[in-house]
Amino acid sequence: HDITDRKQAEVALRESEERYRTLVENANDIIFRTDSTGHFTFINPVALRLSGFTPEELIGKHYLAIIRPDMLEAAANFFGRQFVKKLENTYFEYPIIIKSGEERWIGQNTQLMLEDGKVVGFQAVARDVTERKEFEAALSESEELYKTLAESSLAGVFIAQDGKFRFINNSAIAYAGYSAEELVGRIA
């Protein structure tokens, strides 16, 4: 009876592992693991397709090797803090440089892997957030351009939102005879 129970447990474990492997390998998200020093130990097919690298090119490499150089310190500090403070879950967005030399932005949820209270690695689920980052940058640039044009216009320009002044340029302030502080936030 003990042998039968053990064999059933082994079969159930193998089936569970196969379901897990299928889930991870067919997920639409980037999934990877590192050891406690930050070296890749597992990378799913989505991560490989996005990055353009082969498993042989990434397994064993340090995660900082693919991060855009000007973000290395911020990423190292962020994940180092997670390691030292044993923060179970974190979220961080950062740019990577893929094999083609292109930049892609990653939004990453990272879980600390612990065994007997000791950090043994990280596992992460991430998404490519490049399109959103590009949209945010374009929007910010557009807003800055509009603000520059409005501020330098000789015509009086104001923006009212929800019935209150939110922006008033210098020409409108000069015409109104009030300071910006007196007008912004008042009922339009």
Side-chain angles (χ1 to χ4, degrees):
H1 187 63
D2 286 340
I3 293 173
T4 302
D5 288 344
R6 187 168 22 129
K7 286 198 182 281
Q8 287 175 338
E10 289 172 359
V11 167
L13 179 61
R14 272 194 306 277
E15 289 173 353
S16 175
E17 288 172 347
E18 183 58 34
R19 283 191 303 273
Y20 173 77
R21 183 176 13 269
T22 300
L23 175 69
V24 168
E25 290 180 356
N26 293 304
N28 290 324
D29 289 331
I30 298 160
I31 301 173
F32 66 87
R33 283 185 161 191
T34 71
D35 61 18
S36 62
T37 64
H39 291 84
F40 292 114
T41 59
F42 170 82
I43 301 166
N44 78 336
V46 171
L48 296 170
R49 276 194 306 275
L50 172 77
S51 71
F53 292 107
T54 65
E56 296 76 23
E57 291 171 313
L58 285 181
I59 299 295
K61 276 203 184 237
H62 198 273
Y63 75 95
L64 291 174
I66 63 170
I67 294 178
R68 194 176 70 199
D70 65 316
M71 286 291 291
L72 290 174
E73 186 176 343
N77 289 341
F78 183 87
F79 294 115
R81 181 176 168 269
Q82 182 177 11
F83 181 91
V84 170
K85 294 192 174 225
K86 293 187 179 175
L87 302 173
E88 289 184 27
N89 295 294
T90 60
Y91 181 80
F92 189 60
E93 292 182 354
Y94 58 92
I96 62 171
I97 305 300
I98 62 174
K99 189 173 184 174
S100 69
E102 292 176 77
E103 176 180 291
R104 304 299 297 176
W105 276 85
I106 302 299
Q108 178 175 303
N109 289 293
T110 306
Q111 298 80 40
L112 206 57
M113 297 186 322
L114 299 169
E115 285 181 11
D116 299 323
K118 182 181 176 195
V119 177
V120 295
F122 297 88
Q123 63 183 14
V125 177
R127 288 204 169 141
D128 182 346
V129 296
T130 304
E131 284 184 25
R132 180 180 54 94
K133 286 293 201 179
E134 289 171 348
F135 176 77
E136 289 171 355
L139 181 60
S140 177
E141 186 179 315
S142 176
E143 288 172 345
E144 192 59 37
L145 177 61
Y146 177 78
K147 184 178 178 186
T148 300
L149 288 172
E151 286 176 346
S152 61
S153 175
L154 296 177
V157 177
F158 65 91
I159 297 174
Q161 183 180 22
D162 299 324
K164 294 184 180 182
F165 290 114
R166 300 294 180 201
F167 171 82
I168 302 170
N169 75 347
N170 289 333
S171 295
I173 290 169
Y175 178 75
Y178 293 97
S179 70
E181 292 79 23
E182 292 173 303
L183 292 174
V184 172
R186 294 185 113 201
I187 296 174

